[in-house]
Each structure stands twice: as C-alpha cells, then as structure tokens.
Amino acid sequence: MKPVTFMIALLGLAACDAEVESRKAAVPAEQAAPAATAAPLTAAGSAATIQPEADDRAQQAASVVELTPLTRQGDATVKLFGTAGGDPAMNGLYTHLAFFDSPAEGWRVFRLGDFLEYRVLSEAPGRVDLEIDESVMDDASGQIGGRTYRVIVGWTVAADGSAPASVTVTPAR
C-alpha cells in the first residue's frame, strides 16, 4: 500500500513543478481531472502548520510530471514516468521505466530517453510498445523540428517476479 500512497503524493507534488503549466496544455481533455462539484468544506478545528520537506528525494519526486502504470504485467508493479528537466522547447520529458523490486530494495529504474512525450500503444507481459514525439535540431539551419517514431521496450520476466537486470529498446513500425 505504501507505493500507492507515495505515488499519490508524487502526483500532488508534480503540480508544484515550474514547467507543469506548459505541459497541461498538452493533456487531452478526456485525461484532465474532472472539475470539483462538491460544496467547499467548513473548518472544524485548528489548522496544522506544515514545513517544507528538507529531504532531497522530495525535490526529485516533485519533478514527476507524467505517470503511466503498466497494468498487464502480472503480479509485477511496473510504471512509466517522466520528470521535467532541461529546455521544454527541446524535449525535456526524461522518461523512465521502473519496476518495484521489494520494500528493502525499492524501485529499479531505467532511463529510456529525453522526449517531448510518449504514448503507450500496447502492452503485454515483458513488453510495452510506445510512440514517441521528440524535438530534433537541424544542424545546418539551426531550426528545431520534430519527429514521431515507435519503439518496443522489452525485458525478460523472471519466474520469481524480480525486477529485470536490463531492458531493450528496439525501433518498430
């Protein structure tokens, strides 16, 4: 249950990211959170004051701007996530694939690349097919252009359910 609680906290912190406003425009309307329709709450006690986190891990968690749980991986807990960084006009979504190993070990994380965005096309145990949009610089003209391509991200599913030692990224059509 702790990984779920942690991810909820991460999503809340992601709204604090300086670049999140520029990414909100890219979220399709059907994926946006529904507007609140409940009446505002009325205070029923004294407010508790909370100080900012001093742990560096909170800073890293606050950089998460995209999260995609992979739900067809059997008993394994696997997710794609992106952190904001760099120049958002030239990619800036550092995209990772993460496997929960154990409470003692935490997550095993693989960096897939620096993209504008990714979309999951399909998934199966040990595999996720992605469509990736990225910025590219034309060295001759200095103009930023874009390209879209597809890849197959694969890994060996261990019989004991442990996280893989490596993943592969294969160009696809």
Side-chain angles (χ1 to χ4, degrees):
M1 189 63 177
K2 287 183 181 179
V4 172
T5 304
F6 182 71
M7 291 315 305
I8 290 169
L10 284 177
L11 290 173
L13 289 172
C16 297
D17 191 283
E19 296 172 345
V20 78
E21 290 301 320
S22 64
R23 294 194 187 282
K24 283 183 181 176
V27 176
E30 64 271 8
Q31 290 181 2
T37 57
L41 299 175
T42 303
S46 299
T49 301
I50 299 172
Q51 299 301 317
E53 284 286 332
D55 187 339
D56 286 342
R57 291 178 293 180
Q59 286 293 321
Q60 294 170 347
S63 294
V64 173
V65 295
E66 188 158 337
L67 174 67
T68 309
L70 299 180
T71 59
R72 298 182 178 170
Q73 301 303 319
D75 291 336
T77 301
V78 185
K79 63 185 169 186
L80 286 163
F81 70 94
T83 58
D87 179 359
M90 189 67 181
N91 301 313
L93 182 64
Y94 298 140
T95 303
H96 303 81
L97 178 65
F99 300 83
F100 187 72
D101 200 6
S102 70
E105 298 297 321
W107 294 88
R108 186 165 301 165
V109 180
F110 300 89
R111 183 170 172 180
L112 300 179
D114 180 11
F115 313 125
L116 278 175
E117 68 179 328
Y118 66 83
R119 284 173 296 290
V120 174
L121 300 175
S122 66
E123 76 168 285
R127 174 183 174 141
V128 61
D129 296 346
L130 301 176
E131 184 172 75
I132 296 170
D133 292 330
E134 73 177 0
S135 298
V136 291
M137 176 71 73
D138 181 335
D139 291 331
S141 70
Q143 296 292 317
I144 296 175
R147 72 177 180 148
T148 300
Y149 60 97
R150 295 175 174 190
V151 297
I152 300 165
V153 180
W155 58 93
T156 301
V157 177
D160 66 359
S162 62
S166 63
V167 300
T168 59
V169 179
T170 306
R173 295 185 275 202

